[in-house]
Coordinates of all heavy atoms in Angstrom, one line a residue:
Y490 N 251.7 32.8 139.4 CA 250.6 31.8 139.0 C 249.4 32.5 138.4 O 248.8 32.0 137.4 CB 250.2 30.9 140.2 CG 249.4 31.6 141.3 CD1 248.0 31.8 141.2 CD2 250.1 32.3 142.3 CE1 247.3 32.3 142.2 CE2 249.4 32.8 143.3 CZ 248.0 32.9 143.3 OH 247.4 33.7 144.1
I494 N 248.3 33.0 134.1 CA 246.9 32.6 133.7 C 246.2 33.8 133.0 O 245.6 33.8 132.0 CB 246.1 32.2 134.9 CG1 246.6 30.8 135.3 CG2 244.6 32.1 134.5 CD1 246.5 29.7 134.4
S497 N 247.5 34.4 129.6 CA 247.1 33.4 128.7 C 245.7 33.7 128.2 O 245.3 33.6 127.1 CB 247.2 32.0 129.3 OG 248.5 31.6 129.6
L498 N 244.8 34.1 129.2 CA 243.4 34.5 128.9 C 243.5 35.7 128.1 O 242.6 35.8 127.1 CB 242.7 34.7 130.2 CG 242.4 33.5 131.0 CD1 241.7 33.8 132.4 CD2 241.6 32.4 130.4
Q558 N 251.0 29.1 144.6 CA 249.8 28.4 144.5 C 249.7 27.7 143.1 O 250.6 28.0 142.3 CB 248.6 29.3 144.6 CG 248.5 30.1 145.8 CD 248.3 29.4 147.0 OE1 247.8 28.2 147.2 NE2 248.6 30.0 148.3
D559 N 248.9 26.7 143.0 CA 248.6 26.0 141.8 C 247.9 26.9 140.8 O 246.8 27.2 141.0 CB 247.9 24.7 142.1 CG 247.9 23.7 140.9 OD1 247.9 24.2 139.9 OD2 247.9 22.5 141.3
C560 N 248.6 27.1 139.6 CA 247.9 28.1 138.7 C 246.7 27.4 138.0 O 245.6 28.0 137.6 CB 248.8 28.4 137.5 SG 249.2 27.1 136.3
S561 N 246.6 26.0 137.9 CA 245.5 25.2 137.4 C 244.3 25.4 138.3 O 243.1 25.5 137.9 CB 245.9 23.8 137.2 OG 244.7 23.2 136.8
E562 N 244.6 25.3 139.7 CA 243.5 25.5 140.7 C 242.9 26.9 140.6 O 241.7 27.0 140.7 CB 244.1 25.1 142.0 CG 243.1 25.1 143.2 CD 243.8 24.8 144.5 OE1 245.0 24.7 144.5 OE2 243.1 24.7 145.4
Y563 N 243.9 27.9 140.4 CA 243.4 29.3 140.3 C 242.5 29.4 139.1 O 241.5 30.0 139.1 CB 244.6 30.2 140.3 CG 244.2 31.7 140.0 CD1 243.6 32.4 141.0 CD2 244.3 32.2 138.7 CE1 243.2 33.8 140.7 CE2 243.9 33.5 138.5 CZ 243.4 34.3 139.5 OH 243.0 35.6 139.3
L564 N 243.0 28.9 137.9 CA 242.2 28.9 136.7 C 240.8 28.4 136.8 O 239.8 29.0 136.4 CB 242.9 28.4 135.5 CG 242.3 28.3 134.2 CD1 242.0 29.7 133.7 CD2 243.2 27.5 133.2
K565 N 240.7 27.2 137.4 CA 239.4 26.6 137.6 C 238.5 27.4 138.3 O 237.3 27.6 138.1 CB 239.6 25.2 138.3 CG 240.1 24.1 137.4 CD 240.3 22.8 138.1 CE 240.7 21.7 137.2 NZ 242.2 21.8 136.9
Y566 N 239.1 27.9 139.5 CA 238.2 28.8 140.4 C 237.8 30.0 139.7 O 236.6 30.5 139.8 CB 239.1 29.1 141.7 CG 238.4 30.1 142.6 CD1 237.4 29.7 143.5 CD2 238.6 31.5 142.6 CE1 236.8 30.4 144.4 CE2 238.1 32.2 143.5 CZ 237.1 31.9 144.4 OH 236.5 32.6 145.2
L568 N 237.4 30.7 136.3 CA 236.4 30.5 135.3 C 235.1 30.0 136.0 O 234.0 30.5 135.5 CB 236.9 29.3 134.4 CG 238.0 29.6 133.6 CD1 238.5 28.4 132.7 CD2 237.9 30.9 132.7
F609 N 235.1 28.3 126.7 CA 235.9 27.3 127.3 C 235.2 26.0 127.6 O 235.7 24.9 128.0 CB 236.6 27.7 128.5 CG 237.3 29.1 128.4 CD1 236.9 30.2 128.8 CD2 238.6 29.0 127.8 CE1 237.6 31.3 128.6 CE2 239.4 30.1 127.6 CZ 238.9 31.4 128.1
F632 N 232.6 20.6 130.9 CA 233.9 20.7 131.5 C 234.5 22.0 130.8 O 234.0 22.6 129.8 CB 234.8 19.5 131.1 CG 235.2 19.4 129.7 CD1 236.3 20.0 129.0 CD2 234.4 18.5 128.8 CE1 236.5 19.9 127.7 CE2 234.7 18.4 127.4 CZ 235.8 19.2 126.9
T633 N 235.3 22.5 131.5 CA 236.1 23.8 131.1 C 237.6 23.4 130.8 O 238.4 24.1 130.3 CB 236.1 24.9 132.1 OG1 236.5 24.6 133.3 CG2 234.6 25.5 132.0
D634 N 238.1 22.3 131.4 CA 239.4 21.8 131.1 C 239.5 20.3 131.2 O 238.7 19.7 131.8 CB 240.4 22.5 132.0 CG 240.5 21.8 133.4 OD1 239.4 21.6 134.0 OD2 241.6 21.5 133.9
L635 N 240.5 19.8 130.6 CA 240.7 18.2 130.6 C 242.0 18.1 131.5 O 243.0 18.6 131.2 CB 240.7 17.7 129.4 CG 239.6 17.7 128.4 CD1 239.9 17.1 127.1 CD2 238.4 17.1 129.1
S636 N 241.9 17.3 132.5 CA 243.0 17.0 133.3 C 243.6 15.6 133.0 O 242.9 14.7 133.1 CB 242.5 17.0 134.8 OG 242.1 18.2 135.3
L637 N 244.8 15.7 132.4 CA 245.4 14.6 131.8 C 246.4 14.0 132.7 O 247.4 14.5 133.0 CB 246.0 15.0 130.4 CG 245.1 15.7 129.4 CD1 245.9 16.2 128.2 CD2 243.9 14.9 129.1
A638 N 246.1 12.7 133.1 CA 247.1 11.9 134.0 C 248.1 11.3 133.1 O 248.0 11.1 131.8 CB 246.3 10.9 134.8
F639 N 249.3 11.0 133.7 CA 250.3 10.4 133.0 C 250.1 8.9 133.1 O 249.8 8.3 134.2 CB 251.7 10.7 133.7 CG 252.2 12.1 133.3 CD1 251.6 13.2 133.7 CD2 253.3 12.1 132.4 CE1 252.0 14.5 133.3 CE2 253.7 13.5 132.0 CZ 253.1 14.6 132.5
P640 N 250.2 8.1 131.9 CA 250.1 6.7 132.0 C 251.2 6.1 132.9 O 252.3 6.7 133.1 CB 250.3 6.3 130.6 CG 250.1 7.5 129.8 CD 250.6 8.6 130.6
S739 N 253.8 12.5 124.7 CA 253.3 13.6 124.0 C 252.0 13.8 124.5 O 251.3 13.0 125.1 CB 253.3 13.2 122.4 OG 252.3 12.2 122.2
V740 N 251.4 15.0 124.2 CA 250.1 15.5 124.6 C 249.1 14.4 123.9 O 248.1 14.0 124.6 CB 249.8 16.9 124.1 CG1 248.2 17.2 124.2 CG2 250.6 17.9 125.0
P741 N 249.2 14.0 122.7 CA 248.2 13.0 122.2 C 248.3 11.7 122.9 O 247.3 11.1 123.1 CB 248.7 12.8 120.8 CG 249.4 14.1 120.3 CD 250.0 14.5 121.5
D742 N 249.4 11.3 123.5 CA 249.6 10.1 124.3 C 248.6 10.3 125.5 O 247.9 9.3 125.9 CB 251.1 9.8 124.7 CG 251.9 9.4 123.6 OD1 251.4 9.0 122.6 OD2 253.1 9.6 123.7
L743 N 248.8 11.5 126.1 CA 247.9 11.6 127.4 C 246.6 11.8 127.1 O 245.7 11.2 127.9 CB 248.4 13.0 128.1 CG 250.0 13.0 128.5 CD1 250.2 14.3 129.3 CD2 250.4 11.7 129.2
I744 N 246.2 12.2 125.9 CA 244.8 12.3 125.6 C 244.2 10.9 125.2 O 243.1 10.5 125.7 CB 244.5 13.3 124.4 CG1 244.8 14.7 125.0 CG2 243.0 13.3 124.0 CD1 244.6 15.7 123.8
N745 N 245.1 10.2 124.5 CA 244.7 8.8 124.2 C 244.4 8.0 125.5 O 243.5 7.2 125.6 CB 245.7 8.2 123.4 CG 245.6 8.5 121.9 OD1 244.6 8.8 121.4 ND2 246.8 8.6 121.2
Y746 N 245.3 8.2 126.4 CA 245.2 7.6 127.7 C 243.9 7.9 128.5 O 243.2 7.2 129.1 CB 246.4 7.8 128.7 CG 246.4 7.2 130.0 CD1 246.4 5.8 130.0 CD2 246.5 7.9 131.1 CE1 246.3 5.1 131.3 CE2 246.5 7.4 132.3 CZ 246.4 5.9 132.5 OH 246.5 5.3 133.7
F747 N 243.6 9.2 128.4 CA 242.4 9.8 129.0 C 241.2 9.2 128.4 O 240.2 8.9 129.0 CB 242.4 11.3 128.7 CG 241.2 12.0 129.4 CD1 241.2 12.3 130.7 CD2 240.2 12.4 128.6 CE1 240.1 13.0 131.3 CE2 239.0 13.0 129.1 CZ 239.0 13.3 130.5
L748 N 241.2 9.1 127.0 CA 240.0 8.5 126.3 C 239.9 7.0 126.2 O 239.0 6.5 125.7 CB 239.9 9.2 125.0 CG 239.8 10.6 124.9 CD1 239.8 11.1 123.5 CD2 238.6 11.1 125.6
P780 N 235.3 22.4 123.0 CA 235.2 23.7 123.4 C 235.9 24.7 122.4 O 236.8 24.1 121.6 CB 236.0 23.8 124.7 CG 236.9 22.7 124.6 CD 236.2 21.6 123.9
Y782 N 238.0 27.1 123.2 CA 239.3 27.1 123.6 C 239.5 25.8 124.5 O 238.8 25.7 125.6 CB 239.7 28.4 124.4 CG 239.9 29.6 123.6 CD1 239.0 30.6 123.5 CD2 241.2 29.7 123.0 CE1 239.3 31.8 122.8 CE2 241.5 30.8 122.2 CZ 240.5 31.8 122.1 OH 240.8 32.9 121.3
L783 N 240.3 25.0 124.1 CA 240.5 23.8 124.8 C 241.6 24.0 125.8 O 242.7 24.2 125.5 CB 240.8 22.6 123.9 CG 241.2 21.2 124.5 CD1 240.1 20.6 125.2 CD2 241.9 20.3 123.4
I784 N 241.4 23.8 127.1 CA 242.4 23.8 128.1 C 242.8 22.5 128.6 O 241.9 21.6 129.1 CB 241.9 24.7 129.3 CG1 241.5 26.1 128.9 CG2 242.9 24.8 130.4 CD1 240.9 27.0 130.0
L785 N 244.1 22.2 128.7 CA 244.5 20.9 129.0 C 245.5 21.2 130.1 O 246.4 21.9 130.1 CB 245.3 20.2 127.9 CG 244.5 19.9 126.6 CD1 245.4 19.3 125.5 CD2 243.4 19.0 126.9
T786 N 245.2 20.3 131.3 CA 246.1 20.4 132.4 C 246.9 19.2 132.5 O 246.2 18.1 132.6 CB 245.4 20.7 133.8 OG1 244.6 21.9 133.6 CG2 246.3 20.7 134.9
L787 N 248.1 19.2 132.5 CA 249.0 18.0 132.7 C 249.1 17.6 134.2 O 249.7 18.5 135.0 CB 250.3 18.1 132.0 CG 250.2 18.6 130.6 CD1 251.6 18.5 129.9 CD2 249.3 17.9 129.7
L788 N 248.7 16.6 134.6 CA 248.6 16.4 136.1 C 250.0 15.8 136.4 O 250.3 14.8 136.7 CB 247.5 15.3 136.5 CG 246.1 15.6 136.2 CD1 245.1 14.6 136.5 CD2 245.8 16.9 137.0
R789 N 250.8 16.8 136.8 CA 252.2 16.6 137.1 C 252.5 16.3 138.7 O 253.6 16.0 139.0 CB 253.2 17.8 136.6 CG 253.3 17.8 135.1 CD 254.3 18.8 134.7 NE 254.6 18.7 133.3 CZ 255.4 17.9 132.6 NH1 256.0 17.0 133.3 NH2 255.6 17.9 131.4
F790 N 251.6 16.8 139.4 CA 251.7 16.7 140.9 C 251.0 15.7 141.6 O 249.8 15.4 141.3 CB 251.3 18.1 141.6 CG 252.1 19.3 141.0 CD1 251.4 20.1 140.2 CD2 253.4 19.4 141.2 CE1 252.1 21.3 139.6 CE2 254.1 20.5 140.7 CZ 253.5 21.5 139.9
S791 N 251.7 14.8 142.2 CA 251.1 13.7 142.9 C 251.6 13.6 144.3 O 252.6 14.1 144.6 CB 251.4 12.3 142.3 OG 252.8 12.1 142.1
R799 N 253.5 16.7 148.0 CA 253.2 16.5 146.6 C 254.4 16.6 145.8 O 255.3 17.5 145.9 CB 252.3 17.6 146.2 CG 250.8 17.6 146.9 CD 250.0 18.7 146.4 NE 249.6 18.6 145.0 CZ 249.0 19.5 144.3 NH1 248.9 20.8 144.9 NH2 248.5 19.3 143.0
K801 N 256.6 16.1 142.0 CA 256.2 16.6 140.6 C 256.8 15.6 139.6 O 258.0 15.1 139.8 CB 256.9 18.0 140.3 CG 256.7 18.5 138.9 CD 257.3 19.9 138.7 CE 257.1 20.3 137.2 NZ 257.8 21.7 137.1
I802 N 256.1 15.3 138.7 CA 256.5 14.5 137.4 C 257.3 15.3 136.6 O 256.6 16.1 136.0 CB 255.2 13.7 136.9 CG1 254.5 12.8 137.9 CG2 255.8 12.8 135.6 CD1 253.2 12.2 137.3
D804 N 258.7 14.4 133.7 CA 258.8 13.8 132.3 C 258.6 15.0 131.3 O 257.7 15.8 131.4 CB 257.7 12.8 132.2 CG 258.0 11.5 133.0 OD1 258.8 11.6 133.8 OD2 257.2 10.6 132.8
V806 N 257.2 16.4 128.0 CA 256.0 16.0 127.2 C 256.0 16.8 125.8 O 256.1 18.0 126.0 CB 254.7 16.2 127.9 CG1 253.5 16.0 127.0 CG2 254.6 15.3 129.1
S807 N 256.1 16.1 124.8 CA 256.2 17.0 123.5 C 254.8 17.5 123.2 O 253.9 16.8 123.4 CB 256.8 16.1 122.2 OG 255.8 14.9 122.2
I808 N 254.9 18.8 122.7 CA 253.5 19.4 122.6 C 253.3 19.7 121.1 O 254.1 20.3 120.4 CB 253.7 20.8 123.3 CG1 253.9 20.7 124.9 CG2 252.3 21.6 123.2 CD1 254.2 21.9 125.5
L812 N 246.5 20.0 117.1 CA 246.0 18.8 117.7 C 244.7 18.5 117.0 O 243.9 19.4 116.8 CB 245.7 19.2 119.2 CG 245.4 18.0 120.1 CD1 246.5 17.0 120.3 CD2 244.8 18.6 121.5
L814 N 241.4 16.4 117.6 CA 240.7 15.8 118.7 C 239.5 15.1 118.1 O 238.6 15.6 117.4 CB 240.2 16.9 119.6 CG 240.0 16.5 121.1 CD1 241.2 15.9 121.7 CD2 239.5 17.7 121.9
L847 N 247.6 25.4 119.0 CA 248.2 25.8 120.3 C 248.3 27.3 120.3 O 248.9 27.9 119.4 CB 249.5 25.1 120.4 CG 250.3 25.4 121.7 CD1 249.6 24.7 122.9 CD2 251.8 24.9 121.6
S849 N 248.6 28.9 123.8 CA 249.4 29.3 125.1 C 249.9 28.0 125.8 O 249.3 26.9 125.8 CB 248.6 30.1 126.1 OG 248.3 31.3 125.7
V850 N 251.1 28.2 126.4 CA 251.6 27.1 127.4 C 252.1 27.7 128.6 O 253.0 28.5 128.7 CB 252.8 26.6 126.6 CG1 253.4 25.4 127.5 CG2 252.5 25.8 125.3
V851 N 251.6 27.4 129.7 CA 251.9 27.9 131.0 C 253.0 26.8 131.5 O 252.7 25.6 131.6 CB 250.7 28.0 132.1 CG1 251.2 28.4 133.4 CG2 249.8 29.0 131.5
V852 N 254.1 27.4 131.8 CA 255.2 26.4 132.3 C 255.5 26.6 133.8 O 255.5 27.8 134.4 CB 256.6 26.9 131.5 CG1 257.7 26.1 132.1 CG2 256.4 26.6 130.1
H853 N 255.7 25.6 134.5 CA 256.0 25.5 135.9 C 257.4 25.2 136.0 O 257.9 24.2 135.5 CB 255.2 24.6 136.7 CG 255.5 24.6 138.2 ND1 256.4 23.6 138.7 CD2 255.2 25.4 139.3 CE1 256.5 23.8 140.0 NE2 255.9 24.8 140.3
S858 N 254.4 22.0 143.7 CA 253.3 22.9 143.4 C 253.4 24.1 144.4 O 252.9 25.1 144.1 CB 252.0 22.2 143.3 OG 251.7 21.6 144.7
Y863 N 256.1 30.3 137.8 CA 255.2 30.1 136.6 C 255.6 31.3 135.6 O 255.7 32.5 135.8 CB 253.8 30.2 136.9 CG 253.2 29.1 137.6 CD1 253.0 29.2 139.1 CD2 252.8 27.8 137.0 CE1 252.4 28.1 139.8 CE2 252.4 26.8 137.7 CZ 252.2 26.9 139.1 OH 251.6 25.8 139.7
T925 N 258.7 22.7 133.2 CA 257.7 21.8 132.4 C 256.4 22.5 132.1 O 255.8 23.1 132.8 CB 257.5 20.4 133.2 OG1 257.0 20.9 134.5 CG2 258.8 19.6 133.4
A926 N 255.9 22.0 130.8 CA 254.5 22.5 130.5 C 253.5 22.0 131.4 O 253.6 20.8 131.8 CB 254.3 22.1 129.1
Y927 N 252.7 22.9 131.9 CA 251.7 22.5 132.8 C 250.3 22.7 132.4 O 249.4 21.8 132.4 CB 251.9 23.2 134.2 CG 251.0 22.8 135.3 CD1 250.7 21.5 135.6 CD2 250.6 23.8 136.3 CE1 249.8 21.1 136.6 CE2 249.7 23.5 137.3 CZ 249.4 22.2 137.5 OH 248.6 21.7 138.5
V928 N 250.0 23.8 131.9 CA 248.6 24.2 131.4 C 248.7 24.6 129.9 O 249.6 25.5 129.7 CB 247.9 25.3 132.2 CG1 246.5 25.5 131.7 CG2 247.8 24.8 133.8
L929 N 247.9 23.9 129.0 CA 247.9 24.2 127.5 C 246.6 24.9 127.2 O 245.6 24.4 127.6 CB 248.2 23.1 126.7 CG 249.5 22.1 127.3 CD1 249.5 20.9 126.3 CD2 250.8 22.9 127.3
F930 N 246.6 25.9 126.4 CA 245.5 26.4 125.7 C 245.5 26.3 124.3 O 246.5 26.5 123.5 CB 245.4 28.0 125.9 CG 245.1 28.4 127.4 CD1 246.1 28.2 128.5 CD2 243.8 28.9 127.7 CE1 245.7 28.6 129.7 CE2 243.5 29.3 128.9 CZ 244.5 29.2 130.0
Y931 N 244.5 25.6 123.7 CA 244.4 25.4 122.3 C 243.1 26.0 121.8 O 242.0 26.2 122.5 CB 244.2 24.0 122.0 CG 245.4 23.1 121.9 CD1 246.0 22.6 123.1 CD2 246.2 23.0 120.8 CE1 247.2 21.9 123.1 CE2 247.4 22.3 120.6 CZ 247.9 21.7 121.9 OH 249.1 21.0 121.9

Side-chain angles (χ1 to χ4, degrees):
Y490 67 91
I494 292 300
S497 298
L498 292 175
Q558 305 294 342
D559 188 329
C560 75
S561 173
E562 187 179 1
Y563 174 76
L564 175 61
K565 288 184 176 74
Y566 177 78
L568 296 182
F609 305 103
F632 69 88
T633 53
D634 81 312
L635 296 180
S636 298
L637 306 179
F639 283 70
S739 68
V740 170
D742 289 341
L743 301 189
I744 297 179
N745 282 328
Y746 181 59
F747 178 82
L748 297 177
Y782 283 101
L783 172 67
I784 300 175
L785 303 176
T786 301
L787 311 187
L788 297 178
R789 291 191 173 274
F790 301 110
S791 59
R799 293 176 74 191
K801 181 179 176 181
I802 301 171
D804 294 4
V806 176
S807 58
I808 304 170
L812 187 69
L814 203 63
L847 180 68
S849 286
V850 179
V851 178
V852 176
H853 177 264
S858 61
Y863 289 99
T925 53
Y927 184 38
V928 178
L929 313 178
F930 286 73
Y931 281 88

